[in-house]
Amino acid sequence: MPKMLIFIITLLLILSNQVQANTSAAEAAALAWLEAIDSGQYEQAWETSSSLLKKPLSPHMLERTIGAARRDFGAVQSRRRISVVRETSMPGAPRDDYAVLTFQTSFENRPQITETITPHLEEGTWKVSGYYLN
């Protein structure tokens, strides 16, 4: 096998592992944030959020907004990731590194809800910048 082909394959494997590690870190940050929200620890969730989420929302506003959206859902029964998409831009946000994670979530009173959560790589740390329910 030519040396150049071996080099290219090795480089692709290294890059693939790096992308996988970054995606895992983004998902870990998203799940930790969701766990804080699920347990009613909105201030903790706000503290670990991206500045993109913190600027427009105070901790109290975050609690009111998510609390109102999930008020009748009840407790989380299960959450399963269904997709991860890496992006370099998001509407209304600066060009940067984002991961858009979609989860199929079952709540006590709503068996099938789609949650979309967007961590943003901010100063080397993944922090949640967006959360949407469908």
Side-chain angles (χ1 to χ4, degrees), residues 26-99:
E27 184 172 2
L31 289 170
W33 191 89
L34 285 168
E35 186 177 311
I37 294 295
D38 293 343
S39 63
Q41 298 173 357
Y42 294 97
E43 191 159 331
Q44 177 186 341
W46 186 86
E47 287 293 333
T48 62
S49 296
S50 165
S51 61
L52 298 174
L53 186 135
K54 285 179 169 181
K55 283 180 187 174
L57 292 176
S58 68
H60 182 67
M61 288 173 66
L62 179 70
E63 179 177 0
R64 281 194 358 231
T65 303
I66 294 176
R70 291 175 46 168
R71 177 182 46 235
D72 298 328
F73 291 4
V76 173
Q77 302 297 301
S78 65
R79 180 176 281 126
R80 179 179 60 88
R81 187 193 68 196
I82 54 176
S83 70
V84 178
V85 177
R86 297 292 294 273
E87 298 286 349
T88 56
S89 66
M90 297 298 292
R95 290 188 63 77
D96 218 333
D97 199 1
Y98 300 88

